[in-house]
Amino acid sequence: MIDKRVSTLADMVADCPDLRDGAIVLIGGFGDAGVPERLIETICELGLRNLTVVSNNAGSGDYGLASLLKAGCVGKMVCSFPRSAGSIVFEELYAAGKIELEIVPQGTLAERIRAGGAGIPAFYTATGYGTPLAQGKETREFDGRHYVMERAIRADVALIHARTADRWGNLTYPKTARNFNPIMAMAAATTLAEVRRFVDNVAPEEVVTPGIFVTRMVEIGER
């Protein structure tokens, strides 16, 4: 009988061989919405190094993603908004030359991840053409307009936050937490989810992420 529920976050991350030094890690969230903060805090305790983290921004304050940066676990950030309100930790690391940065326009970032989950290796977009963001990338002209080829993103692990889950791993998301989490769940070899509440069944018409994309999950409770 399929049951992807795990008792503790510590047990879940300890039993994940894809979480290793140098791994590519997708982390869901948009601002503070839908960020798997408890899961990130648990990852910090593993003491990993040289992770490439793909997320919409680079964290704020000293919690969540910022805590992973502060712990020295991240060697490279791939994001759309490295500078946002309270992004002190990232800015200090970048100024000190201790972290690499790849900026990706937000729509392009979402599509690169979605393409990775859909098995599409690359696509063309007009976004970024003629700017430094297109340097070194293949460009083509279609119907008189210029486009930049962008490669899909796939990762070793995705860390996501969901509202409810059943034992098969079918997930729903609260409001704006339905941001990068669903596409990231599709684009990683292993997807770990922190879930506010387990339920007996998620109704088929309410499923956002089908359980086939979820590896393991832990209930963290309502906040």
Side-chain angles (χ1 to χ4, degrees):
M1 182 174 69
I2 296 175
D3 191 342
K4 299 180 179 180
R5 296 170 294 185
V6 179
S7 298
T8 69
L9 291 164
D11 288 344
M12 185 165 70
V13 302
D15 189 29
C16 180
D18 285 325
L19 275 174
R20 60 184 184 276
D21 291 349
I24 301 174
V25 182
L26 301 172
I27 297 181
F30 186 90
D32 287 336
V35 177
E37 293 180 1
R38 298 274 300 279
L39 194 44
I40 295 171
E41 292 168 1
T42 307
I43 300 296
C44 285
E45 298 173 2
L46 296 178
L48 299 174
R49 288 293 179 269
N50 200 32
L51 299 177
T52 294
V53 170
V54 182
S55 190
N56 186 56
N57 57 26
S60 60
D62 58 1
Y63 58 93
L65 176 52
S67 67
L68 194 65
L69 298 174
K70 191 174 183 178
C73 302
V74 183
K76 179 179 180 180
M77 274 299 312
V78 181
C79 66
S80 299
F81 297 97
R83 299 188 69 183
S84 56
S87 59
I88 301 170
V89 176
F90 172 80
E91 293 185 22
E92 290 180 350
L93 291 172
Y94 188 73
K98 295 181 178 179
I99 191 168
E100 185 180 350
L101 171 64
E102 179 183 346
I103 295 178
V104 183
Q106 190 176 61
T108 301
L109 180 65
E111 181 62 9
R112 287 180 66 185
I113 297 167
R114 191 202 68 82
I120 301 169
F123 60 93
Y124 287 94
T125 175
T127 302
Y129 179 80
T131 75
L133 296 179
Q135 289 181 357
K137 298 178 181 177
E138 178 183 325
T139 61
R140 289 190 62 179
E141 181 179 342
F142 297 96
D143 300 325
R145 191 176 186 188
H146 296 281
Y147 295 82
V148 181
M149 189 182 78
E150 296 284 358
R151 300 292 300 270
I153 294 175
R154 282 199 58 83
D156 298 296
V157 181
L159 309 179
I160 63 175
H161 174 98
R163 176 173 58 188
T164 61
D166 57 26
R167 65 180 174 86
W168 296 279
N170 297 310
L171 304 181
T172 70
Y173 302 88
K175 301 178 180 178
T176 50
R178 186 173 170 173
N179 44 58
F180 282 84
N181 283 302
I183 56 173
M184 287 182 170
M186 298 172 61
T190 296
T191 294
L192 305 180
E194 63 171 45
V195 180
R196 291 188 182 183
R197 182 167 55 91
F198 288 146
V199 297
D200 290 338
N201 293 284
V202 176
E205 66 272 20
E206 295 177 359
V207 172
V208 180
T209 294
I212 192 172
F213 297 115
V214 178
T215 309
R216 286 181 290 277
M217 54 198 180
V218 167
E219 185 180 51
I220 61 169
E222 300 286 349
R223 296 190 175 185

